[in-house]
Amino acid sequence: REGDYHFDTISAFIKSVRGSDPDAAIHYLARLIEGGADIQMIGRRLLVMASEDVGMAYPNAITVVTSCVQAALMVGYPEARINLAQAVITMEASPKSNRSYMALTKATSDLRKVETGDVPNHLKDAHYSGAKKRGLGIGYENPHHYGGYVDQQYLPDNIKDRRYYEPTDNGTEASFKRYLESIRESDGK
């Protein structure tokens, strides 16, 4: 139906993908297409959902969705419907996590509400003459020289113990969670 892709249909589409309901997700995709939604509009929503709703639970979703959207843009309608459907089914059938989005939201809130402080001196740029005299870059330990991880402070002093990213046990994110827990345990944090 003409114009049926407006706010309610878009909202139902997003929530159906997020809710892992393949039938509803495809139904609302069809309504968007039949209602006159262009590939760009649908593609933008799909790309956002790949990071916001699937995220770290299946990090490759963004790659699959990007490829599907690019293919849809290349072939155009009516065949683009097939590429868009693949992107939708990939995401609705994927485990979900919005924790990277939530981490950014928390960090942004801190920037607006908390005196976070300055970047620690050992992390500041030291690639110019006079930087060392100012104490910049001194004491930085490159994690690659320590097997990929070294315990050192990265956040500013005022928020040095803040946790923004709190991974779930969903999908691939569970392995990221185990890794972060193991390095935090080795630090005693």
Side-chain angles (χ1 to χ4, degrees), residues 14 16 18 44 49 55 90 101 107 136 159 186:
I14 293 165
S16 297
R18 185 180 294 149
R44 279 193 304 271
M49 287 189 292
T90 296
Y101 167 70
L136 306 182
I159 57 169
S186 70

Side-chain angles (χ1 to χ4, degrees), residues 166-186:
E166 299 171 15
T168 68
D169 290 316
N170 299 339
T172 303
E173 191 168 36
S175 64
F176 298 123
K177 181 179 182 179
R178 284 190 301 275
Y179 171 73
L180 289 173
E181 287 172 348
S182 73
I183 62 175
R184 287 174 178 160
E185 284 174 17
S186 70

Side-chain angles (χ1 to χ4, degrees), residues 78-87:
E79 291 90 351
R81 300 170 320 120
I82 300 163
N83 307 115
L84 297 173
Q86 180 183 352

Side-chain angles (χ1 to χ4, degrees), residues 8-147:
D8 290 342
T9 304
I10 294 167
S11 178
F13 174 59
I14 293 165
K15 291 172 181 167
S16 297
V17 171
R18 185 180 294 149
S20 298
D21 186 322
D23 304 310
I26 287 296
H27 170 80
Y28 291 116
L29 173 64
R31 282 177 80 153
L32 289 168
I33 293 168
E34 292 298 309
D38 67 7
I39 296 167
Q40 287 272 154
M41 189 282 294
I42 296 170
R44 279 193 304 271
R45 276 305 344 142
L46 292 169
L47 290 166
V48 170
M49 287 189 292
S51 291
E52 180 181 359
D53 295 311
V54 176
M56 297 300 290
Y58 177 50
N60 288 334
I62 189 69
T63 304
V64 173
V65 170
T66 298
S67 294
C68 289
V69 170
Q70 288 174 340
L73 289 166
M74 286 179 71
V75 301
Y77 284 136
E79 291 90 351
R81 300 170 320 120
I82 300 163
N83 307 115
L84 297 173
Q86 180 183 352
V88 168
I89 295 297
T90 296
M91 286 195 300
E92 73 70 29
S94 295
K96 309 292 188 294
S97 172
N98 69 347
R99 297 300 177 91
S100 58
Y101 167 70
M102 297 297 292
L104 180 60
T105 300
K106 289 181 201 176
T108 302
S109 177
D110 272 0
L111 288 173
R112 293 177 180 164
K113 297 177 182 178
V114 176
E115 177 53 49
T116 58
D118 199 11
V119 173
N121 281 342
H122 66 280
L123 298 181
K124 290 183 178 179
D125 182 22
H127 289 95
Y128 60 92
S129 65
K132 296 278 188 225
K133 263 191 208 177
R134 297 180 58 209
L136 306 182
I138 296 171
Y140 171 70
E141 298 179 44
N142 188 329
H144 296 294
H145 301 154
Y146 298 89

